[in-house]
Amino acid sequence: MPTRFPMPYPSSWYAVSASTELRRGQVKRLQYLGRELVAFRGEDGEAHVLDAYCPHLGAHLGVGGKVQGDTVVCPFHGWRFAGDGRCVEAPYARTTPRCSTGSWATVERNGMVWIWYHALGAPPDLEVPALPEHGNPEWTPYRQYRWIVKSHSQEMGENSADSAHFLHVHGTLGVPEVSAEVTPEGVFHAVNRSRNKRFGKVVDTSVDIRIHFPGYSIIRFTELAEVLLLASNTPVDEETVEQVFFFTSRKRGNPLLRALVSQMFMREVARQYEQDMPIWENKIHLPRPVLCDGDGPIWQFRKWFQRFYPARPIGGTTLPVPAAS
């Protein structure tokens, strides 16, 4: 395990591509979860994700591979692989080899392609919730921001519960009130109430945060404009995460004023995210931090997050378990 973050990859659905970035008949090279992967969209329009290396002689299916029907074709010898990873043809062989490359459970929802990861190989026990706002004509198309961060998803998600950092990092007018609960559906739900200065005026704000699982969060803002943020968080390797923000806003009021206010608000949220990055990229994970009153529901978040780690240790390493609060 890396020394900064002694936690493995958490079990989760992870976004690996925007739907618009994977066209019909396209093959796309991916690098996530410390692995080489390949995504392709067959002629039937369905998206698939496989391990990248051909089991024949190790060629990378994402470098020179192409789509034929609903299969991906290896660029080296023309072997074809279906969406479930099975080899369905070796064009010069009398008998099709009985082999496959690893395949990933894949769903396409909310304009994104998601794959399921579990450290012990268990099938999905969670669903990617469908957003009624996606594709709704009353809401704008996504506006996207993307970052590569040297951190771990647990460390980054913990910010939602950390009350005091909003004052010292983001300049709120006082320490916000952060309340949290785990819903009956298993979602970590936090509400952040704070006082901020916007456009020369002091305003009270309330932000609704719902973390469904490590790779998927929904954040709703109602300050000045109604804005929804779908945040995906996908590990690239043990100490690197790709963070993507997809913003959409409700089409209400004067369209020019709404667009201006919404875009300024989205840029402000992105700016505050970038204020956190130097801290994330240089801090370490402390399994037993010294906390004080006013820090917010950090222990509650950590206890909730434990459910996404395997039940038994990996490689003999004991996972950190939070103490009672």
Side-chain angles (χ1 to χ4, degrees):
M1 292 288 179
T3 55
R4 286 180 62 208
F5 310 116
M7 306 86 78
Y9 302 128
S11 299
S12 178
W13 286 100
Y14 291 113
V16 295
S17 178
S19 294
T20 55
E21 296 170 350
L22 186 64
R23 302 180 305 276
R24 190 185 299 264
Q26 181 183 0
V27 179
K28 183 178 181 181
R29 181 179 187 173
L30 305 172
Q31 294 173 304
Y32 292 111
L33 296 157
R35 309 180 190 205
E36 288 283 336
L37 306 174
V38 60
F40 73 96
R41 191 182 296 282
E43 297 299 337
D44 63 358
E46 188 172 350
H48 304 280
V49 178
L50 306 176
D51 287 339
Y53 296 113
C54 176
H56 177 209
L57 286 170
H60 198 300
L61 299 174
V63 181
K66 61 183 181 180
V67 170
Q68 182 177 330
D70 301 325
T71 66
V72 62
V73 182
C74 177
F76 201 10
H77 296 90
W79 289 27
R80 294 196 300 123
F81 297 89
D84 61 2
R86 289 180 304 109
C87 178
V88 296
E89 183 188 31
Y92 53 87
R94 295 178 181 176
T95 303
T96 300
R98 297 181 62 182
C99 65
S100 64
T101 184
S103 64
W104 294 72
T106 305
V107 297
E108 192 162 7
R109 197 158 294 156
N110 304 327
M112 304 173 75
V113 178
W114 305 81
I115 62 171
W116 171 255
Y117 170 84
H118 191 281
L120 305 179
D125 57 1
L126 299 167
E127 291 188 2
V128 178
L131 285 177
E133 292 83 359
H134 175 66
N136 188 325
E138 296 183 1
W139 289 75
T140 62
Y142 284 147
R143 183 182 181 92
Q144 182 182 147
Y145 291 79
R146 187 185 303 260
W147 298 270
I148 299 296
V149 187
K150 291 291 185 182
S151 189
H152 185 280
S153 58
Q154 178 178 330
E155 290 290 310
M156 298 163 72
E158 195 167 285
N159 266 30
S160 63
D162 181 352
S163 305
H165 96 278
F166 288 98
L167 169 64
H168 296 280
V169 178
H170 305 307
T172 57
L173 302 177
V175 175
E177 175 191 344
V178 177
S179 59
E181 64 171 348
V182 177
T183 70
E185 298 77 25
V187 175
F188 185 83
H189 177 212
V191 177
N192 181 314
R193 296 178 179 86
S194 62
R195 181 160 288 184
N196 298 276
K197 198 168 186 178
R198 302 283 190 236
F199 310 111
K201 295 183 178 181
V202 175
V203 295
D204 292 321
T205 66
S206 179
V207 181
D208 187 273
I209 304 165
R210 294 176 186 265
I211 307 177
H212 290 258
F213 36 82
Y216 181 102
S217 301
I218 299 296
I219 305 169
R220 297 178 187 274
F221 307 88
T222 54
E223 172 196 341
L224 304 177
E226 191 172 353
V227 176
L228 179 146
L229 165 58
L230 190 166
S232 73
N233 182 299
T234 305
V236 176
D237 56 38
E238 291 176 317
E239 290 195 359
T240 311
V241 171
E242 179 186 74
Q243 178 79 71
V244 184
F245 281 2
F246 289 90
F247 286 103
T248 179
S249 62
R250 186 184 287 275
K251 299 176 181 178
R252 284 184 175 174
N254 182 296
L256 291 178
L257 179 61
R258 173 188 49 77
L260 176 63
V261 171
S262 297
Q263 289 182 21
M264 291 178 64
F265 187 78
M266 294 173 192
R267 286 198 294 268
E268 173 61 16
V269 173
R271 184 188 72 83
Q272 291 190 22
Y273 180 87
E274 290 172 353
Q275 290 176 323
D276 288 314
M277 287 176 56
I279 297 174
W280 286 330
E281 294 195 325
N282 292 280
K283 75 186 297 292
I284 62 171
H285 175 78
L286 296 178
R288 306 277 186 234
V290 179
L291 298 180
C292 65
D293 59 291
D295 274 327
I298 292 175
W299 276 131
Q300 189 175 356
F301 175 82
R302 288 194 176 192
K303 290 177 182 179
W304 171 80
F305 206 95
Q306 290 295 308
R307 69 184 60 190
F308 302 104
Y309 294 131
R312 57 185 172 83
I314 297 176
T317 301
T318 302
L319 302 181
V321 178
S325 57

